[in-house]
Amino acid sequence: MIKGVIFDFDGLILDTELHEYEVLQEIFQEHECDLPLSKWAELVGTKSDFDPFVFMEGQLNRQLDHEALRKLRTERFDQRIASERARPGVEAYLASAKALGLKVGLASSSDSKWISTHLGNLGLLEHFECIRTADDVENVKPDPALYLQAAECLGLKPEECLVFEDSANGALAAKRAGMRCVIIPNQVTSGLSFCEVDHRLASMEEMSLDELIRFLHK
């Protein structure tokens, strides 16, 4: 029986990934360069040493002012994300989880400050009984540690948890943790190759949480 749901954050609850890619691509194009979506998508859902501006320098074959570029990236991203709302169906799923008596957690490869800030801006922070971030583990997704810690925090066994993910790294982490996983990719991650998951939705609006759980229990 599913007794709890655990959500990813970036790209699943709030589509930060698309905005971040589009901001970087704007900056790349202003320098007559290109950041392939396939390159960026590989990094989604995990931590990486990839530096987009080092990648840009490789295309230009000259040094750049990284501090100025990072400042520009942050300013443009903040402007874009300020008015962004949760992805379609997210708030309905959170309300349904409460109505169904399910425990609700969150597991993210981002840090705690990032998660608490954006959840607070969305007005969704209070929905989560337990939040685990990069600050809580040695290794982030695709390592299963984040999901295992979230389940333990909720007082649940891995097999009692249903995970919602948008990335290949996140889905792999959930399955390695022994949990059921439903993927809801976004524009950045929709073309990725995923491990074997339990179901795929285009949007949380496609199927209610109650319907989804009944489907998975069959």
Side-chain angles (χ1 to χ4, degrees), residues 129-147:
E129 301 169 49
C130 175
I131 295 175
R132 289 293 178 268
T133 70
D135 298 331
D136 300 306
V137 295
E138 184 175 344
N139 297 306
V140 296
K141 306 169 190 177
D143 190 282
L146 278 164
Y147 281 117

Side-chain angles (χ1 to χ4, degrees), residues 1 14 33 62 73 75 79 84 98 102 113 130 133 144 160 175 183 191:
M1 289 289 292
L14 183 63
C33 296
R62 61 181 174 85
R73 171 186 179 177
E75 289 174 350
Q79 288 172 358
E84 189 75 5
K98 182 178 181 180
L102 300 174
K113 182 179 179 181
C130 175
T133 70
E160 296 173 327
K175 297 309 292 183
I183 57 169

Side-chain angles (χ1 to χ4, degrees), residues 27-182:
I27 296 172
F28 267 68
Q29 290 176 349
E30 287 165 7
H31 288 77
E32 299 183 345
C33 296
D34 180 63
L35 176 61
L37 178 59
S38 58
K39 178 69 176 178
W40 184 249
E42 291 174 1
L43 314 173
V44 171
T46 188
K47 291 289 185 183
S48 170
D49 293 330
F50 176 77
D51 187 325
F53 302 124
V54 171
F55 185 71
M56 184 190 291
E57 284 180 334
Q59 294 186 42
L60 294 172
N61 198 28
R62 61 181 174 85
Q63 289 188 332
L64 298 168
D65 185 340
H66 287 224
E67 184 176 351
L69 288 169
R70 283 193 293 268
K71 182 179 179 181
L72 180 62
R73 171 186 179 177
T74 299
E75 289 174 350
R76 292 188 181 180
F77 176 81
D78 288 346
Q79 288 172 358
R80 281 174 169 263
I81 211 71
S83 59
E84 189 75 5
R85 304 310 304 162
R87 285 185 70 190
V90 168
E91 294 185 41
Y93 265 44
L94 290 170
S96 294
K98 182 178 181 180
L100 293 168
L102 300 174
K103 295 187 176 182
V104 181
L106 185 147
S108 171
S109 294
S110 295
D111 61 48
S112 179
K113 182 179 179 181
W114 175 271
I115 298 301
S116 60
T117 297
H118 288 297
L119 280 178
N121 291 341
L122 291 170
L124 300 178
L125 189 59
E126 64 182 21
H127 288 277
F128 298 93
E129 301 169 49
C130 175
I131 295 175
R132 289 293 178 268
T133 70
D135 298 331
D136 300 306
V137 295
E138 184 175 344
N139 297 306
V140 296
K141 306 169 190 177
D143 190 282
L146 278 164
Y147 281 117
L148 291 171
Q149 282 201 21
E152 182 179 7
C153 176
L154 292 171
L156 299 176
K157 299 175 183 178
E159 60 268 25
E160 296 173 327
C161 299
L162 170 60
V163 168
F164 294 105
E165 268 288 353
D166 72 291
S167 75
N169 285 311
L172 185 55
K175 297 309 292 183
R176 284 176 173 174
M179 300 177 182
R180 275 173 276 200
C181 180
V182 172

Side-chain angles (χ1 to χ4, degrees), residues 197-210:
V197 296
D198 297 273
H199 197 50
R200 178 174 181 145
L201 296 172
S203 164
M204 291 182 193
E205 292 184 326
E206 183 180 329
M207 183 183 289
S208 72
L209 180 59
D210 187 33

